[in-house]
């Protein structure tokens, strides 16, 4: 297909993209976009440096290869290079979102009607002062070709919907949202009862939530909160590009080190369906289940070919780029906490006084993490009790990992409906996250 130069490693990633975005604010359709394009990212490696180019003219790819080759240094021993040796070689077609399963085949009017049909559930309430409904979809068909012999065609797809609203009852105010992300448009249909249920909880929270008494509590995190904690506090630290050239980080994240409770396992796996589904990364590496923590012990890291070679470890399928304009860097796919052996009722049954964090506004963290709950509740005598307003739940990451004392059997894999993960200038990258309900012995709540 392409004539690759001798004495260099070359790969070409061609992206065939279709995407839609719709926004309705207070009943007014104020944004509708449907876009499709084809573009490519090309890179060369001579054993010392990488050379990059991107283009929206796919007919010029061979010229781009030759232009990059003209400034690279031919290396007769490129095949002995440890990075070159790590690149996997695959040849086949792996298309999952074709025909009626592709958002390209769904009419724009049907996507707009989806939002219009759900909107009255929110808009008709006397407590709503502002509401907005958003829909997005993104289908990407990628072709990956390398001078080592890879020739892969695969696709990914995300759809997402959000209805956000600001509520007011006298001096009481509360902002909340209903989110749903998926791989398929059909899974955004029939959500009326779920939207009504979430909106009903929001109204209850608006009217009844009391201020929390700051202090240390036993905290139960929902799959949403546990997933964000795993992503922000641990997943990012598992991205091994942070460790290259930093001996203190390498020592802190030494494989085999005990870092958490023995019931705790955290994995990253791009083969799981959801918005983190990535059957191959942008270096042509097949998705793998990678244990970051296994039974409380640090067991793995996320890699590109460059970081895997530098640390003497295997590939994990985590070299990802936001789109054709960017080089692949180490990113998560679907990162989640494995389930345990309890039901939710068993998990909270012996908590005298604690906190249940059901939904989040946002979370962040490295050595210390913070979670900003949207809806949270007191746990009293083993039962979910009154709603409480909490600004932040915070703790030291390693201390918290060691204080996890219970996990439910059931695990939920969730998606960022509209946004995604940000790293350096590449945002928003679709990822998945989740876990079981997680009980932590003690966390600071205020």
């Amino acid at each position: 297909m392409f004539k690759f130069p001798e004495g260099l490693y070359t790969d070409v990633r061609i992206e065939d993209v279709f995407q839609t975005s719709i926004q309705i604010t207070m009943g007014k359709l104020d944004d509708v976009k449907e876009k499709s394009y084809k573009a490519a990212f090309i890179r060369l490696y001579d054993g010392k440096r990488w050379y990059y180019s991107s283009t929206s003219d796919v007919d010029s790819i061979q010229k781009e290869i030759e232009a990059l080759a003209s400034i690279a240094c031919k290396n007769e021993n490129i095949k002995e290079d440890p990075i070159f040796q790590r690149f996997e070689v695959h040849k086949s077609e792996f298309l999952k979102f074709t025909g009626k399963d592709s958002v390209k085949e769904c009419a724009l009017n049907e996507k707009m009607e989806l939002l219009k049909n759900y909107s009255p559930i929110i808009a008709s309430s006397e407590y709503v002062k502002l509401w907005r409904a958003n829909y997005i979809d993104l289908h990407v068909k990628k072709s990956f070709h390398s001078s080592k012999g890879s020739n892969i065609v695969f696709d990914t797809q995300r759809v997402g919907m959000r209805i956000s609203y600001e509520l007011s009852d006298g001096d009481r105010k509360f902002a909340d949202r209903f989110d749903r992300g998926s791989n398929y448009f059909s899974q955004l249909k029939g959500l009326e009862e779920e939207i009504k249920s979430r909106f009903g909880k929001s109204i209850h929270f608006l009217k009844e939530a009391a201020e929390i008494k700051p202090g240390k509590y036993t905290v139960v995190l929902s799959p949403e909160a546990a997933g964000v904690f795993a992503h922000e506090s641990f997943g990012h630290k598992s991205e091994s590009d942070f460790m290259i050239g930093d001996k203190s980080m390498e020592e802190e994240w030494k494989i085999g080190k005990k870092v958490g409770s023995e019931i705790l396992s955290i994995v990253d796996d791009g083969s799981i369906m959801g918005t983190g589904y990535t059957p191959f990364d942008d270096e042509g590496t097949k998705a793998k289940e990678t244990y970051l923590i296994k039974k409380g012990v640090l067991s793995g890291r996320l890699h590109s070919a460059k970081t895997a070679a530098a640390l003497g470890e295997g590939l994990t399928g985590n070299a990802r780029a936001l789109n054709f304009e960017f080089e692949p860097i180490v990113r998560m796919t679907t990162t989640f906490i494995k389930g345990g052996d309890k039901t939710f009722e068993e998990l909270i049954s012996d908590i005298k006084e604690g906190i249940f964090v059901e939904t989040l506004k946002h979370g962040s963290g490295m050595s210390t993490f913070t979670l900003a709950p949207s809806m949270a509740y007191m746990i009293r005598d083993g039962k979910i009790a009154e709603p409480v307003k909490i600004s932040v739940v915070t703790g030291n990451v390693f201390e918290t990992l060691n204080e996890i004392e219970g996990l439910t059997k059931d695990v939920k894999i969730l998606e960022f409906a509209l946004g995604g993960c940000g790293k350096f200038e590449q945002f928003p990258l679709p990822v998945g996250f989740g876990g079981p309900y997680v009980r932590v012995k003690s966390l600071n709540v205020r």
Side-chain angles (χ1 to χ4, degrees), residues 2-235:
F2 300 109
K3 185 178 180 182
F4 294 119
E6 295 292 327
L8 300 168
Y9 170 78
T10 308
D11 64 37
V12 175
R13 183 178 81 242
I14 304 170
E15 299 183 355
D16 191 348
V17 179
F18 173 88
Q19 59 189 132
T20 308
S21 64
I22 303 168
Q23 179 170 293
I24 298 173
T25 302
M26 299 291 284
K28 180 183 177 184
L29 181 64
D30 51 18
D31 185 51
V32 181
K33 293 177 184 171
E34 197 174 64
K35 182 169 73 173
S36 60
Y37 64 89
K38 200 169 183 179
F41 183 88
I42 305 104
R43 65 178 190 168
L44 270 72
Y45 176 60
D46 63 8
K48 291 183 179 179
R49 294 183 179 85
W50 286 95
Y51 304 84
Y52 306 115
S53 179
S54 60
T55 178
S56 57
D57 179 7
V58 294
D59 293 330
S60 71
I61 292 173
Q62 187 62 51
K63 287 183 180 177
E64 296 290 338
I65 293 173
E66 292 165 4
L68 292 176
S70 70
I71 56 175
C73 296
K74 188 175 179 180
N75 182 348
E76 299 295 343
N77 299 314
I78 189 66
K79 293 182 180 177
E80 308 304 319
D81 184 90
I83 295 176
F84 178 93
Q85 291 183 338
R86 271 178 169 72
F87 288 123
E88 293 182 355
V89 176
H90 299 280
K91 298 178 181 180
S92 196
E93 196 171 271
F94 304 86
L95 297 177
K96 204 170 194 64
F97 308 102
T98 59
K100 63 180 178 56
D101 288 333
S102 170
V103 291
K104 296 168 69 173
E105 302 302 318
C106 182
L108 181 60
N109 280 343
E110 191 175 359
K111 298 169 186 176
M112 293 169 61
E113 286 301 311
L114 183 85
L115 295 183
K116 289 179 180 177
N117 289 338
Y118 288 146
S119 297
I121 298 172
I122 308 300
S124 59
S125 170
E126 62 182 301
Y127 299 107
V128 174
K129 304 307 173 189
L130 175 67
W131 66 269
R132 179 171 292 124
N134 292 86
Y135 169 88
I136 64 164
D137 62 37
L138 174 67
H139 178 268
V140 184
K141 180 180 176 182
K142 294 185 180 182
S143 305
F144 181 87
H145 313 277
S146 79
S147 59
K148 199 171 175 179
S150 271
N151 188 5
I152 317 164
V153 179
F154 63 97
D155 62 352
T156 60
Q157 180 169 281
R158 72 178 299 189
V159 297
M161 182 198 71
R162 170 179 293 174
I163 302 178
S164 54
Y165 39 88
E166 295 180 11
L167 307 176
S168 178
D169 181 27
D171 293 334
R172 288 177 168 268
K173 300 185 187 305
F174 180 54
D176 201 19
R177 64 180 186 265
F178 177 90
D179 277 334
R180 181 58 50 89
S182 179
N183 296 113
Y184 300 101
F185 179 76
S186 61
Q187 293 182 356
L188 299 188
K189 296 179 177 178
L191 300 178
E192 289 83 356
E193 295 307 314
E194 289 187 52
I195 296 171
K196 288 177 185 175
S197 175
R198 176 61 179 260
F199 188 61
K201 281 188 174 183
S202 299
I203 296 294
H204 178 68
F205 196 86
L206 168 74
K207 298 170 76 68
E208 303 296 334
E211 298 291 338
I212 187 68
K213 180 183 177 183
K216 286 199 167 188
Y217 294 87
T218 296
V219 175
V220 173
L221 303 175
S222 67
E224 176 183 331
V228 171
F229 167 73
H231 177 99
E232 297 290 351
S233 302
F234 195 82

Side-chain angles (χ1 to χ4, degrees), residues 268-436:
D268 182 276
D269 188 348
S271 69
I272 293 176
M273 293 303 292
T275 51
Y277 172 72
T278 309
F280 293 89
D281 72 6
D282 290 318
E283 292 183 332
T285 303
K286 196 169 186 178
K288 299 169 174 60
E289 182 185 64
T290 302
Y291 272 85
L292 307 179
I293 296 178
K294 193 168 190 177
K295 297 181 178 178
V297 176
L298 194 62
S299 300
R301 294 184 263 258
L302 306 179
H303 282 300
S304 64
K306 178 181 177 182
T307 63
L311 296 176
E313 298 174 5
L315 295 177
T316 58
N318 291 91
R320 304 182 65 195
L322 180 65
N323 58 40
F324 80 99
E325 298 178 279
F326 296 96
E327 67 189 277
I329 57 175
V330 183
R331 308 295 298 269
M332 286 172 268
T333 58
T334 297
T335 310
F336 64 100
I337 298 172
K338 288 273 192 176
D341 60 358
K342 297 183 183 302
T343 65
F344 181 73
E345 290 73 22
E346 291 169 343
L347 192 72
I348 67 171
S349 63
D350 61 346
I351 298 175
K352 184 70 176 173
E353 183 182 65
I355 302 292
F356 170 50
V357 176
E358 184 171 27
T359 60
L360 289 182
K361 297 173 187 170
H362 55 81
S364 63
M366 287 298 275
S367 297
T368 300
F369 74 91
T370 59
L371 299 175
S374 178
M375 286 197 280
Y377 300 84
M378 293 299 300
I379 300 172
R380 298 190 189 281
D381 298 320
K383 303 289 184 184
I384 300 297
E386 74 274 15
V388 284
K389 299 176 185 176
I390 296 174
S391 298
V392 293
V393 175
T394 185
N396 176 277
V397 171
F398 286 127
E399 289 176 3
T400 301
L401 293 175
N402 277 290
E403 295 210 329
I404 291 175
E405 57 183 10
L407 306 167
T408 60
K409 301 171 189 172
D410 296 333
V411 172
K412 290 183 180 177
I413 301 298
L414 304 164
E415 295 87 14
F416 294 109
L418 302 186
C421 178
K423 182 176 178 180
F424 304 145
E425 74 276 25
Q426 297 196 40
F427 171 83
L429 186 76
V431 295
F433 63 99

